[in-house]
Amino acid sequence: PDGGAAVWAATIRAVRHRNPETAIEVLVPDFQGHLEHLDIVLQAKPDVFNHNLETVERLQRPVRKTATYERTLAVLRHAKNRDFVTKSGIMLGLGEEHSEIAKAIEDLAEEKLDILTIGQYLQPTPKHHRVDRFVHPEEFAAYEKAAYGKGFLMVSATPLTRSSYHAGDDFAQMKKNREARLAEDA
């Protein structure tokens, strides 16, 4: 009934019990917009709350059959309003336009997202959305630069980047970047 939220929370608590020093990132569903279910996960206090936007607004329905763009932003906003480190990812190569990618980055920046991953979409099965194009590494680098310019604390944008790829390293780098930003602002 809670979309598995209690299982997520129990897992976080079990890891904390066995090894309190472990940094925990959760990559959760949107719980169909039931924020009370999301709160069950958040009460277990993960270090990083990750929920992926996946693609640009126009391609949400063809790519994500049950999720919505606004609901994803609302889930991330809900976690950020409770002072969690927030993370999301988008995939390129699904047929999106440059302006749509820029808007997705802007929308995530407006939610004060901390960590952004951008990677190449790879079609997992013939039943999934086809790959529209393979994005050049220079284009990924340009999106990374643009995202840092919008205030993200950590951005990983390469063809091989995946949502949780190098999650521990990204979390450590995000903390260093946050400390450096705070020192600059002081």
Side-chain angles (χ1 to χ4, degrees), residues 119-135:
Q120 172 68 50
Y121 171 71
L122 299 172
Q123 184 179 10
T125 73
K127 292 181 180 181
H128 285 82
H129 197 285
R130 67 176 177 75
V131 174
D132 179 73
R133 71 183 176 111
F134 288 96
V135 179

Side-chain angles (χ1 to χ4, degrees), residues 88-90 105 108 113-118 147 152 154-156:
S88 192
I90 56 177
I105 292 170
L108 290 166
L113 194 80
D114 299 292
I115 303 171
L116 176 62
T117 61
I118 306 172
F152 292 90
M154 175 60 205
V155 181
S156 179

Side-chain angles (χ1 to χ4, degrees), residues 30 33 51-77 88-91 96-111 116 152:
D30 65 12
H51 179 60
N52 287 330
L53 187 59
E54 302 289 0
T55 190
V56 298
E57 190 169 14
R58 175 179 58 85
L59 295 173
Q60 288 289 309
R61 190 54 61 204
V63 173
R64 302 172 81 198
K65 303 298 183 211
T66 62
T68 69
Y69 191 86
E70 183 49 47
R71 190 164 64 206
T72 293
L73 294 177
V75 164
L76 292 165
R77 182 180 316 121
S88 192
I90 56 177
M91 302 175 294
E96 65 284 327
E97 300 293 328
H98 173 75
S99 61
E100 294 173 309
I101 298 165
K103 181 183 183 307
I105 292 170
E106 178 67 32
D107 290 344
L108 290 166
E110 286 179 12
E111 300 303 337
L116 176 62
F152 292 90

